[in-house]
Amino acid sequence: MSLSRNIVLLLTHSGDFFTIDRVAEAIAQRGAQPFRLDTDQFPMDLQLSAQISSEGLHHRLHYQDKSISTEQVRSVWMRRLWEPKLSPELSPQYQYACRRESRAALLGFLDSLSEVRWVDDLRRISAAENKLRQLRIARNAGLHIPRTLVTNDPQEARDFFQQLKGKMVAKLLTPLSASMEGSAFFLYTSEVKEADLADAESLRYSPMVFQEQIPKLRELRVIFVAGKLFAGALDASRYSATTMDWRSAKPGECVWEPAEIPIQIADCLNTFMAEFGLLFGAFDFIQTPDNEYIFLEVNATGEWGMLERDLNLPISEAIADTLLG
């Protein structure tokens, strides 16, 4: 096999579909070779080796009858890193240690690719997961943000609820699954009732994000790819009576519509992304009945397949161009 750098490494998991396939196809159409790496198949069905000495470094991985070395990798798409897969036959007393060692080995392997192009770099993605930093940078970039409280003090939460006249929502500080750790626990953005705060002592065990409830005309998912914006919108009236979070809406309630982003918002997003040093981001906004755009958050590995599928937006092509650029 030639050692020319023409392979694009696609980091994902075995349950991923559509988006990973569209990006792989776009890469192949541009003359490069996509290599899908399902990180959940390590270490059982994926083998890697790293030889390090004074003479140099040699890293190689083998997966699904294919073998590549890091010298062949041109760029990396960080779609997903998943929890290492282990055999149920492995004794429970060894499970944690084996996952920890597998995680360390895979991250060490990926570190050997630090000089190639990433969309995006793992450290920058990790920094961008900080929701409080997101709000601070968004505000500095000129975006409107909701009034927000992060606290583990039950009384602070009750006082904030009163300040907002009962119009308050709650959500988590961390994303659903953007890292190798994954998460079995996830809370959709939900409306807070006064009865919910009557017994809020559980906040002592874990802080939570509380925000003012913003009136919605539409909710927008805005995809940023190296300065290009692709946007879709949802008519909030179709699901707002049953849920605060469109991700938990009933089938058929959420129909994606084309959307345009005002130029001043686009400028703010360029400033925001430059601050984080990211090439990709999935932004969530609320458009109010007064036509104001409120920044909620950005996910550095967020979903966009529904926009390409339903609105025929060429997001996969933009990602491929960025990876090969």
Side-chain angles (χ1 to χ4, degrees), residues 218-222 229-235 255-261 287 293 306-308 310-313:
R218 301 193 300 173
E219 289 197 70
L220 289 84
R221 171 61 58 97
V222 182
L229 296 180
F230 306 90
L234 296 171
D235 180 351
V255 178
W256 290 97
E257 305 169 350
E260 295 291 333
I261 302 302
Q287 182 183 3
Y293 290 79
M306 63 285 193
L307 301 185
E308 181 153 323
D310 296 350
L311 303 178
N312 201 32
L313 298 178

Side-chain angles (χ1 to χ4, degrees), residues 78-307:
M78 219 312 287
R79 161 75 176 157
R80 289 287 185 271
L81 288 183
W82 222 246
E83 183 73 10
K85 176 184 177 182
L86 297 174
S87 170
E89 297 177 0
L90 181 65
S91 174
Q93 63 181 318
Y94 300 122
Q95 292 272 344
Y96 172 77
C98 289
R99 284 196 177 91
R100 183 191 62 200
E101 293 301 296
S102 296
R103 197 176 296 124
L106 183 56
L107 290 176
F109 178 86
L110 295 177
D111 180 70
S112 69
L113 294 166
S114 60
E115 295 184 2
V116 306
R117 188 177 184 85
W118 280 70
V119 180
D120 272 297
D121 179 88
L122 290 171
R123 289 164 294 187
R124 292 179 178 177
I125 289 175
S126 179
E129 288 178 0
N130 187 315
K131 296 293 179 63
L132 293 178
R133 183 183 291 128
Q134 287 185 20
L135 291 169
R136 175 173 61 83
I137 299 302
R139 178 180 177 275
N140 292 344
L143 295 168
H144 295 290
I145 62 174
R147 293 177 62 185
T148 303
L149 171 70
V150 179
T151 187
N152 64 335
D153 185 332
Q155 191 55 48
E156 285 279 349
R158 297 184 188 104
D159 292 345
F160 192 57
F161 182 84
Q162 296 303 322
Q163 293 171 27
L164 298 178
K165 297 179 171 56
K167 297 294 185 179
M168 188 168 83
V169 298
K171 61 185 184 180
L172 298 178
L173 270 171
T174 53
L176 174 57
S177 56
S179 70
M180 288 187 64
E181 301 296 335
S183 176
F185 172 67
F186 182 65
L187 175 72
Y188 290 111
T189 300
S190 56
E191 186 176 7
V192 179
K193 303 293 186 181
E194 190 163 16
D196 299 327
L197 296 172
D199 184 18
E201 297 306 312
S202 61
L203 282 175
R204 295 184 296 118
Y205 303 108
S206 175
M208 184 167 280
V209 183
F210 299 100
Q211 288 183 328
E212 64 176 314
Q213 185 176 328
I214 305 295
K216 301 175 184 179
L217 176 66
R218 301 193 300 173
E219 289 197 70
L220 289 84
R221 171 61 58 97
V222 182
I223 305 302
F224 179 103
V225 186
K228 295 181 179 180
L229 296 180
F230 306 90
L234 296 171
D235 180 351
S237 68
R238 297 190 58 159
Y239 55 88
S240 58
T242 59
T243 180
M244 293 298 303
D245 193 320
W246 61 264
R247 293 169 295 181
S248 64
K250 298 176 182 177
E253 288 184 334
C254 293
V255 178
W256 290 97
E257 305 169 350
E260 295 291 333
I261 302 302
I263 185 64
Q264 61 269 28
I265 300 297
D267 290 342
C268 292
L269 293 185
N270 277 303
T271 300
F272 179 98
M273 294 297 276
E275 181 69 23
F276 279 109
L278 294 173
L279 293 170
F280 176 90
F283 287 85
D284 286 327
F285 280 87
I286 289 176
Q287 182 183 3
T288 71
D290 295 330
N291 206 35
E292 187 175 25
Y293 290 79
I294 309 297
F295 167 89
L296 298 180
E297 62 184 11
V298 66
N299 187 329
T301 58
E303 294 295 340
W304 50 267
M306 63 285 193
L307 301 185

